[in-house]
Amino acid sequence: MAALVGDALSLGAHWSYDPREIASKLGRVDRLVDPTLNAYHKGKRAGDFTHYGDQTILLWRSLEEQGGKFDSQAFMERWKEFFESPGNITYKDHASRETLSNIQSGSPLVEAGSSSSDLGGASRVAALLPFFEDEDLLAQAAREQTTLTHQSEQVVDIAEFFARVAFRLALPDNEKTPSEVLQEVAKELKKPFLVNAVAAAVRQAD
């Protein structure tokens, strides 16, 4: 899966926002490298996933276990077990820590999502794509799985946006460019922040 390849490739430079540091210490990141630029992924090695990739795999395995159907309870049971296992090496970001804290405080698994506005929940949607042939059902699952760890309305909207864009680009008869699909979906969802962000990105790309 391209999303997981990209995640593993990004591990070495993940959360380093200084292009000069990346260039001087890693060169062009066109190969799998150890995460040596910061301590967030301590214990990980070249070829491993970031915590986003780890969660994408968790979602993928949950879907396989459920016969291709998305089950919120089943996914969160797997998610909780993974993050509470001392043997698993993965970074617990703010959203994960808050979700776990909510669970430990008594919140039901499917209602314990954090208030975080990062895109960790939305980043998992690639795992859904092979299991859905209907775009609307895919979008619904994308939103639902995101709320389990991220209850920010904007993050949930972005998850649907990611899912719909990926679905349309993967259609065998798609003849539109990525920029056209991005703008099309943003306009359909009628979310000003998405429309503006996509417009700015397209202008920069041009």
Side-chain angles (χ1 to χ4, degrees):
M1 181 187 290
L4 293 174
V5 173
D7 182 86
L9 184 63
S10 74
L11 176 68
H14 193 228
W15 277 338
S16 176
Y17 301 106
D18 185 345
R20 291 171 296 183
E21 178 186 39
I22 295 172
S24 65
K25 294 183 178 180
L26 299 179
R28 180 177 176 81
V29 184
D30 54 6
R31 67 207 181 284
L32 301 174
V33 295
D34 291 336
T36 57
L37 301 186
N38 54 58
Y40 290 112
H41 300 295
K42 185 177 180 180
K44 295 275 191 177
R45 295 291 182 264
D48 289 338
F49 299 126
T50 72
H51 56 299
Y52 299 134
D54 288 335
Q55 293 183 67
T56 300
I57 287 289
L58 290 175
L59 179 55
W60 174 284
R61 289 175 176 165
S62 178
L63 287 157
E64 284 193 321
E65 185 179 73
Q66 300 300 316
K69 296 181 180 180
F70 175 65
D71 184 304
S72 295
Q73 183 73 23
F75 170 62
M76 284 305 291
E77 288 174 359
R78 183 181 288 271
W79 185 93
K80 177 176 178 290
E81 180 182 6
F82 177 81
F83 275 100
E84 289 186 340
S85 173
N88 289 324
I89 300 173
T90 195
Y91 179 67
K92 293 179 183 176
D93 59 15
H94 172 78
S96 298
R97 293 195 302 272
E98 185 179 333
T99 300
L100 288 168
S101 176
N102 290 340
I103 293 170
Q104 292 161 3
S105 297
S107 294
L109 283 177
V110 297
E111 298 175 14
S114 74
S115 59
S116 175
S117 60
D118 74 56
L119 299 183
S123 72
R124 296 189 295 256
V125 300
L128 297 169
L129 289 168
F131 298 96
F132 287 85
E133 297 181 355
D134 180 276
E135 181 181 331
D136 290 333
L137 292 179
L138 170 66
Q140 179 181 336
R143 296 181 68 88
E144 185 178 347
Q145 70 85 28
T146 300
T147 64
L148 297 173
T149 54
H150 295 71
Q151 295 192 6
S152 160
E153 182 178 350
Q154 190 170 94
V155 176
V156 175
D157 287 338
I158 291 171
E160 177 178 357
F161 174 74
F162 285 170
R164 289 187 182 277
V165 168
F167 183 89
R168 295 185 194 186
L169 287 174
L171 289 173
D173 59 350
N174 173 57
E175 296 182 352
K176 297 179 180 178
T177 67
S179 292
E180 290 172 337
V181 174
L182 287 165
Q183 293 175 91
E184 176 183 81
V185 175
K187 183 177 180 181
E188 289 176 9
L189 294 182
K190 299 178 180 179
K191 302 293 181 178
F193 80 93
L194 278 174
V195 173
N196 294 336
V198 169
V202 170
R203 284 196 302 270
Q204 186 174 9
D206 291 341

